[in-house]
Amino acid sequence: MDLNKLASALITDDDLLPCEEYEKIYPERVKGEKAEVTRLAPSPTGFIHLGNLYSALADERCAHTTDGVFYLRIEDTDEKRKVDGAVESVIRSLKYFGIDFDEGAEINSPLNNYGPYYQRQRAKIYRAFVKRLISLGLAYPCFCTEDELNAVREVQTAEKKITGYYGEYAKCRNLSEEQIYKNLAEGKPYVIRLKSQGSTDNKINFRDEIKGEVTVTENDQDVVILKSDGIPTYHFAHAIDDHFMRTTLVIRGEEWLSSLPVHLELHKVLGFKPPRYAHTCSLMKMDGDTKRKLSKRKDPELSLDYYRKAGYFPKAVVKYLMTILNSDFEEWSLKNPDADYREFKFRIGKMGKSGALFDLDKLNDVSRTEISKLSERECFEFLNEWVSEFGTDKDREHFKDKEYIIKVLALIMGVGGKKRRKDIERAEQGVRLIDYFFDDTFTPEYSFRFDDRTVNCVLDVFSDMYDPEDDNTVWFAKVKSIAPLIGFASETSDYKAHPENYKGSVSDIAEILRVAVTGMPNSPDLCTIMRILGKERSIKRLYAARRA
């Protein structure tokens, strides 16, 4: 059989470059000896999840801790699954968590010398190599219909054999020249399959960068490398792309480990040195007493949108994932609490070999700690970003007054105080905590522990003497001065020593004022709150809280 003639009959493009030319078009990158070139290569389906961020963080850290390159490639060979705006969504979502690409699809970078970064735009490259494999007798046309393939699969299943297109089940592998050209003349659709050289009797010893030594069985499946629409399958495209984009390390989920024999064979028949592979463990969660994989259907926390909508501090999510990615990161972080996580020496070999447990409670702890470190202005920027996308119209109106909000946050967060507030884990909580600083979201349910006459006396007397120019000492002295008028102790120590002699203490008077002004029995420093609210609003609230 004239294989060159067959290759030209099957791959009819007349503008394909010789395969060798692509080595010149995409030369080896100029980089350091240990520099890694990694990639994130999602399908444009519109759903980006925690696993993508987990993998992207590992890719980004491996690249950037070695002065390498991290790029974005879009594997859009499956046109049916494409969602408009999906690529922008990937970039935007990862950028929110501080993950930036050096080059790639929709990335404006001077490094973009290895594109196109969309696989459908690289069809000519793939077809050139398919044509060469056909001419070498390493690939062939398959005219089997879906019904025929399903029938073969049913027979294999009934006989308890491995399903697939191989050996005696590879019906088109040994078609004669006459049969092939007859099928082409009849216009029968076809795919191109790899003519596998492997045998399941042989084993491959492989070094996985995470799991260590792995033994797999050679591939014997004649997998499809070019679909009937002229677009390659993922398996074939990724082998060519990783070679010509000069990828050194592929980090991917352990579900791809079963495809490793196919990918190694493809690199071999193409004459390429394969990149190093690292197969990450699955993200798990506790479900009762058992561990299971995070599920798109069952677990909303798998979606990255979950963290953005709930208002998790992005750095907190990343730092928590770092504790899962590298076993010694948490210890390092405790020793270096104020250091940027990027200062940590990330190592692929420190990634876990078995299922990584994702604990939302632990993430909440990390988020509370990270938010507590923010200055009032940093906190404003964080909350304002969340409010602009997910807040109410009232929230957005409130946040227009930046300086007022910053004053409020300085108080709420305990900035400058002896003890920072550490109970805010999400933006939504922080925004709701300041609702009482605005009249249109101040909806108190007054709950006073004393009779109406006592409450009214406290509110009336303090209203008459309140002066926003008072410092905390003068302010509290005025609160204490009310105590003798209503039978309360001016000193808390006196009340504790002889509670039977008093109706309450000065702290109870402060609580009455606090409930009137904030609607709550507990709050940050009330003197400062009233000063932020201003005299007019403070007095108005004191009067509004009087008992009829």
Side-chain angles (χ1 to χ4, degrees):
M1 185 184 298
D2 186 337
L3 293 176
N4 286 324
K5 177 184 175 183
L6 177 61
S8 295
L10 295 171
I11 307 297
T12 59
D13 312 57
D14 57 7
D15 59 346
L16 299 180
L17 295 175
C19 292
E20 294 74 18
E21 285 297 308
Y22 291 106
E23 296 291 346
K24 300 175 185 176
I25 296 170
Y26 303 111
E28 291 284 350
R29 293 174 183 264
V30 178
K31 58 183 181 61
E33 183 181 347
K34 294 184 178 180
E36 299 283 15
V37 179
T38 64
R39 45 78 162 175
L40 187 69
S43 299
T45 60
F47 180 76
I48 182 166
H49 55 77
L50 193 66
N52 297 131
L53 177 59
Y54 178 76
S55 179
L57 181 58
D59 282 313
E60 186 271 338
R61 286 292 79 212
C62 282
H64 291 159
T65 55
T66 60
D67 295 323
V69 174
F70 175 44
Y71 71 89
L72 175 64
R73 184 172 77 224
I74 302 301
E75 301 190 335
D76 57 346
T77 56
D78 188 347
E79 184 72 7
K80 294 177 182 178
R81 298 179 64 205
K82 184 179 178 181
V83 174
D84 289 340
V87 178
E88 292 78 8
S89 176
V90 168
I91 295 170
R92 184 173 60 251
S93 295
L94 292 179
K95 188 175 183 64
Y96 176 79
F97 291 100
I99 309 296
D100 292 316
F101 297 97
D102 300 305
E103 66 178 75
E106 306 303 324
I107 306 297
N108 183 17
S109 169
L111 299 177
N112 281 358
N113 299 317
Y114 291 83
Y117 296 92
Y118 286 87
Q119 288 185 329
R120 293 188 77 86
Q121 297 174 13
R122 299 171 66 83
K124 294 292 184 183
I125 306 175
Y126 309 133
R127 292 171 69 79
F129 279 90
V130 170
K131 187 173 185 178
R132 184 168 78 169
L133 291 182
I134 296 170
S135 68
L136 294 173
L138 295 172
Y140 63 91
C142 173
F143 300 91
C144 291
T145 65
E146 276 298 314
D147 288 342
E148 289 172 327
L149 294 173
N150 288 335
V152 169
R153 193 177 296 110
E154 288 175 5
V155 170
Q156 292 170 332
T157 301
E159 295 178 355
K160 297 183 178 179
K161 293 183 178 180
I162 295 172
T163 58
Y165 203 85
Y166 63 95
E168 63 182 292
Y169 303 107
K171 302 296 184 183
C172 294
R173 182 181 177 113
N174 297 309
L175 290 178
S176 67
E177 184 174 12
E178 181 182 358
Q179 289 172 309
I180 291 173
Y181 283 106
K182 181 176 182 294
N183 287 336
L184 291 176
E186 292 174 356
K188 288 186 177 181
Y190 59 90
V191 299
I192 304 298
R193 289 185 181 273
L194 170 73
K195 185 177 281 188
S196 175
Q197 307 300 300
S199 169
T200 53
D201 293 333
N202 299 330
K203 303 293 182 183
I204 304 171
N205 293 320
F206 173 79
R207 169 73 186 177
D208 187 281
E209 296 298 312
I210 294 175
K211 297 183 180 296
E213 295 301 323
V214 175
T215 300
V216 294
T217 301
E218 267 188 357
N219 171 62
D220 70 341
Q221 299 269 349
D222 287 2
V223 296
V224 175
I225 59 175
L226 195 71
K227 295 180 286 188
S228 58
D229 63 357
I231 297 298
T233 57
Y234 161 78
H235 300 297
F236 190 69
H238 109 277
I240 289 177
D241 292 342
D242 280 336
H243 176 71
F244 287 118
M245 293 179 182
R246 305 302 177 179
T247 311
T248 63
L249 176 64
V250 173
I251 302 173
R252 60 187 186 182
E254 61 187 352
E255 67 272 13
W256 288 104
L257 198 54
S258 60
S259 300
L260 182 62
V262 173
H263 297 163
L264 292 178
E265 183 173 11
L266 284 170
H267 279 89
K268 183 177 180 181
V269 299
L270 288 165
F272 301 156
K273 178 184 177 181
R276 292 162 20 253
Y277 287 97
H279 292 88
T280 63
C281 55
S282 300
L283 288 175
M284 314 287 283
K285 72 174 290 184
M286 293 302 299
D287 192 349
D289 296 328
T290 60
K291 280 201 302 187
R292 64 166 174 79
K293 289 183 181 180
L294 281 171
S295 161
K296 181 178 177 180
R297 181 172 58 86
K298 295 180 180 179
D299 305 309
E301 66 267 32
L302 185 60
S303 169
L304 284 191
D305 280 345
Y306 170 85
Y307 302 94
R308 295 183 65 230
K309 289 177 181 176
Y312 278 94
F313 190 54
K315 186 188 288 187
V317 177
V318 170
K319 288 190 73 169
Y320 175 60
L321 287 178
M322 286 289 291
T323 68
I324 302 176
L325 283 167
N326 261 197
S327 56
D328 53 347
F329 175 79
E330 188 169 12
E331 181 181 353
W332 176 89
S333 186
L334 289 172
K335 291 178 180 178
N336 304 276
D338 297 321
D340 191 306
Y341 74 88
R342 295 177 181 86
E343 297 175 24
F344 172 74
K345 183 66 175 177
F346 183 86
R347 287 159 291 175
I348 192 74
K350 282 287 186 178
M351 290 181 67
K353 295 178 173 61
S354 58
L357 185 62
F358 183 81
D359 186 342
L360 200 56
D361 289 337
K362 192 166 184 180
L363 168 60
N364 290 338
D365 287 340
V366 176
S367 192
R368 284 191 289 267
T369 298
E370 291 304 308
I371 290 175
S372 74
K373 296 177 183 178
L374 300 178
S375 70
E376 61 267 42
R377 292 187 179 274
E378 290 171 331
C379 192
F380 172 83
E381 296 301 331
F382 167 52
L383 297 182
N384 188 47
E385 184 174 353
W386 181 86
V387 162
S388 64
E389 189 168 0
F390 302 108
T392 66
D393 289 341
K394 289 180 179 178
D395 293 334
R396 283 185 280 274
E397 191 62 33
H398 296 166
F399 270 73
K400 287 180 180 178
D401 192 343
K402 180 176 180 179
E403 294 309 314
Y404 180 77
I405 293 284
I406 286 175
K407 286 181 185 178
V408 172
L409 292 175
L411 174 64
I412 293 292
M413 300 294 294
V415 176
K418 294 181 179 179
K419 190 174 182 181
R420 293 295 299 264
R421 184 167 193 152
K422 289 190 176 183
D423 62 345
I424 303 172
E425 62 195 36
R426 295 178 290 110
E428 186 175 19
Q429 290 176 320
V431 173
R432 298 284 73 84
L433 278 173
I434 65 176
D435 275 345
Y436 66 86
F437 281 91
F438 303 91
D439 292 339
D440 56 357
T441 48
F442 176 55
T443 54
E445 293 183 6
Y446 301 117
S447 179
F448 296 108
R449 295 188 293 110
F450 296 93
D451 60 84
D452 293 350
R453 183 173 177 275
T454 299
V455 169
N456 289 345
C457 181
V458 170
L459 299 177
D460 290 343
V461 172
F462 192 78
S463 294
D464 290 338
M465 65 174 64
Y466 176 64
D467 184 343
E469 298 300 320
D470 292 341
D471 61 19
N472 283 49
T473 301
V474 175
W475 183 91
F476 192 58
K478 288 182 177 180
V479 174
K480 290 172 67 173
S481 71
I482 300 173
L485 304 177
I486 54 175
F488 280 44
S490 297
E491 302 292 339
T492 302
S493 57
D494 291 342
Y495 178 75
K496 287 182 177 180
H498 301 286
E500 69 279 2
N501 294 339
Y502 306 99
K503 290 170 61 178
S505 72
V506 66
S507 62
D508 296 316
I509 297 174
E511 181 183 301
I512 292 172
L513 296 171
R514 196 179 307 277
V515 170
V517 174
T518 70
M520 301 176 293
N522 297 295
S523 75
D525 180 63
L526 185 57
C527 177
T528 306
I529 290 174
M530 294 180 72
R531 192 177 298 124
I532 292 172
L533 287 171
K535 183 173 183 177
E536 183 179 345
R537 278 201 291 175
S538 296
I539 298 299
K540 185 177 178 181
R541 290 189 182 189
L542 293 175
Y543 276 117
R546 295 181 80 261
R547 304 295 83 197

